[in-house]
Amino acid sequence: MADTLYFSRDTKVYAAIGTNVWEIPVLDGFSFSQATNASEITLNEMSDGSNNSRRARQMFTDSYAPAEWSFSTYVRPFMSAGSGAGAADSAAKVHAVEEVLWAQMVGVGTYASNTFPGLDHTADSNASLDIAFTGSNKTTLGTIDLFFVMGATSGGAETVYHISGCCVNEASLDFDIDGIATINWSGMGKLIKEAADSDHSFLSGGAITPTVTEGTLATDTGNFIRNRLTSLTLTGSDSGNFNATYDVVLTGGNITISNNMTFLTPEVLGVVNQPLGHVTGTRSVSGNFTCYLNAEAGSSAELFEDIIESTTTITNQFGLLFKVGGTGTPRIQLNMPKCHLEVPSHSIDDVISLETNFHALPTNIESADEVAIKYVAT
């Protein structure tokens, strides 16, 4: 028997905009799928004189549902070498392996001169990569083509699946205490099909030649971020009800950014309709952080007490600055200057903990400044 089997660990993922191709190292647990929307036609009639009644049914495929995809990546900032095969830039500027995904989430996602709108590689005298959401108040955002190459590292036959018109709907950053900082990405696309060499100039024999690979090599181990070093600066803005600062030592947390996108599909009779594209919904930035219950002044117990006793504050306002990876390098910083905190909940374990949910809000209803993201490389 000459069956060809594919293993998930042999898969490689690439993102493309035109002829520009980025290699995206993903973790185990990636997925992609596409379903169909069908109509069922049935009969509901009484019996004839011989007690017969038609009971069969018919099925019709109306349309393809949008393709859905998800995978996880490590947070990996790096300083570009400025030259060489696969270089991300022509100068020593900070980039990130996953920056092409951020670009689609925060703006139009076009690519020129080694950068994207909404991504600032020259901030702080080239010392960081700043990601702003100021250009994300759009009805549609950027799209990329995703390629999942099965068998890419096995040396055997390869099968390439191409998802066209992919939008990035959600990014969820986890920083559990014993792990490496990861982002869980998910989104939608138009159609999944098996790619042929003739479809794309960068495909040859089922293999893809990426144009940007910097920071992804097995030897590039200095750009992983350790969660255990993460710190939180928590400040209260209402001095009458809350402290100026709270001393909270984290044990874990999550920040989720969602575009709440939907896909539009026509409903023409007599054909199998295909998805047209996405539209954005309400932008949502939320998450949670956990810490031990600490009775020291200005610590977690006082935070709980201040929030639950603030019965006259309709929307409380706290500033949250997460430095995932600590104050050294590499790290990723997420600054949310206006957060509404829910009442923390107690987790009864060997050591009692508090979990606090938060919602990052913009300066006003028209702004897009809920969160500012900064990558700092070694």
Side-chain angles (χ1 to χ4, degrees):
M1 184 176 294
D3 289 342
T4 299
L5 301 177
Y6 296 97
F7 303 99
S8 62
R9 67 176 298 108
D10 292 329
T11 303
K12 288 201 170 194
V13 179
Y14 301 90
I17 300 176
T19 57
N20 299 295
V21 184
W22 291 260
E23 182 176 348
I24 305 177
V26 302
L27 282 64
D28 190 22
F30 68 88
S31 67
F32 59 92
S33 62
Q34 189 161 25
T36 55
N37 299 314
S39 296
E40 180 184 62
I41 307 298
T42 62
L43 299 177
N44 186 20
E45 61 182 6
M46 297 182 181
S47 63
D48 61 14
S50 300
N51 196 33
N52 297 318
S53 179
R54 288 175 292 187
R55 300 174 56 240
R57 63 175 184 157
Q58 293 290 316
M59 294 293 297
F60 300 93
T61 299
D62 299 323
S63 61
Y64 290 119
E68 297 182 354
W69 57 268
S70 66
F71 52 75
S72 297
T73 67
Y74 288 123
V75 181
R76 301 179 69 179
F78 62 89
M79 182 73 75
S80 177
S83 62
D89 211 317
S90 58
K93 297 180 181 180
V94 175
H95 288 261
V97 171
E98 65 277 11
E99 67 182 32
V100 62
L101 300 173
W102 280 121
Q104 314 318 307
M105 170 159 254
V106 305
V108 294
T110 55
Y111 181 71
S113 301
N114 306 311
T115 192
F116 298 93
L119 275 62
D120 186 358
H121 304 277
T122 61
D124 301 339
S125 300
N126 297 348
S128 67
L129 164 61
D130 287 9
I131 301 172
F133 285 73
T134 51
S136 64
N137 277 353
K138 305 290 184 181
T139 53
T140 61
L141 298 177
T143 61
I144 53 176
D145 288 354
L146 287 177
F147 295 85
F148 292 81
V149 183
M150 306 297 180
T153 62
S154 63
E158 296 178 341
T159 296
V160 181
Y161 289 103
H162 172 204
I163 310 178
S164 59
C166 291
C167 60
V168 179
N169 183 48
E170 188 170 282
S172 181
L173 173 66
D174 293 313
F175 39 95
D176 60 286
I177 191 169
D178 292 324
I180 301 172
T182 62
I183 300 176
N184 305 307
W185 304 91
S186 61
M188 295 167 285
K190 291 183 179 180
L191 189 67
I192 300 175
K193 67 176 183 179
E194 189 171 342
D197 288 357
S198 58
D199 296 335
H200 307 280
S201 60
F202 46 78
L203 257 174
S204 177
I208 289 180
T209 303
T211 56
V212 180
T213 58
E214 196 171 12
T216 67
L217 303 179
T219 55
D220 296 327
T221 58
N223 58 353
F224 291 104
I225 296 174
R226 292 171 290 176
N227 286 334
R228 183 176 285 271
L229 304 176
T230 298
S231 63
L232 167 63
T233 301
L234 195 158
T235 56
S237 63
D238 185 350
S239 59
N241 293 313
F242 307 110
N243 292 351
T245 61
Y246 290 88
D247 184 14
V248 177
V249 180
L250 297 177
T251 58
N254 166 271
I255 300 170
T256 298
I257 305 169
S258 178
N259 283 317
N260 289 301
M261 292 175 168
T262 55
F263 244 77
L264 300 179
T265 303
E267 298 180 354
V268 179
L269 297 177
V271 298
V272 178
N273 293 286
Q274 297 185 12
L276 292 179
H278 72 276
V279 291
T280 56
T282 301
R283 183 177 50 254
S284 171
V285 181
S286 60
N288 65 79
F289 59 87
T290 58
C291 60
Y292 290 132
L293 179 63
N294 189 331
E296 296 294 327
S299 194
S300 58
E302 188 167 351
L303 174 65
F304 171 82
E305 181 181 4
D306 289 348
I307 293 176
I308 203 167
E309 292 183 354
S310 182
T311 56
T312 60
T313 303
I314 305 302
T315 300
N316 60 52
Q317 183 173 331
F318 291 86
L320 299 182
L321 173 58
F322 291 92
K323 293 184 178 180
V324 183
T327 57
T329 58
R331 70 179 186 271
I332 177 174
Q333 297 181 189
L334 299 102
N335 186 24
M336 291 163 281
K338 185 180 179 181
C339 289
H340 177 77
L341 269 59
E342 298 180 11
V343 175
S345 59
H346 292 76
S347 177
I348 309 303
D349 209 334
D350 292 338
V351 180
I352 298 176
S353 299
L354 285 179
E355 179 177 345
T356 306
N357 296 322
F358 63 85
H359 305 270
L361 304 175
T363 303
N364 54 61
I365 200 67
E366 297 180 352
S367 298
D369 55 0
E370 295 94 327
V371 59
I373 301 172
K374 181 188 293 289
Y375 280 77
V376 182
T378 299

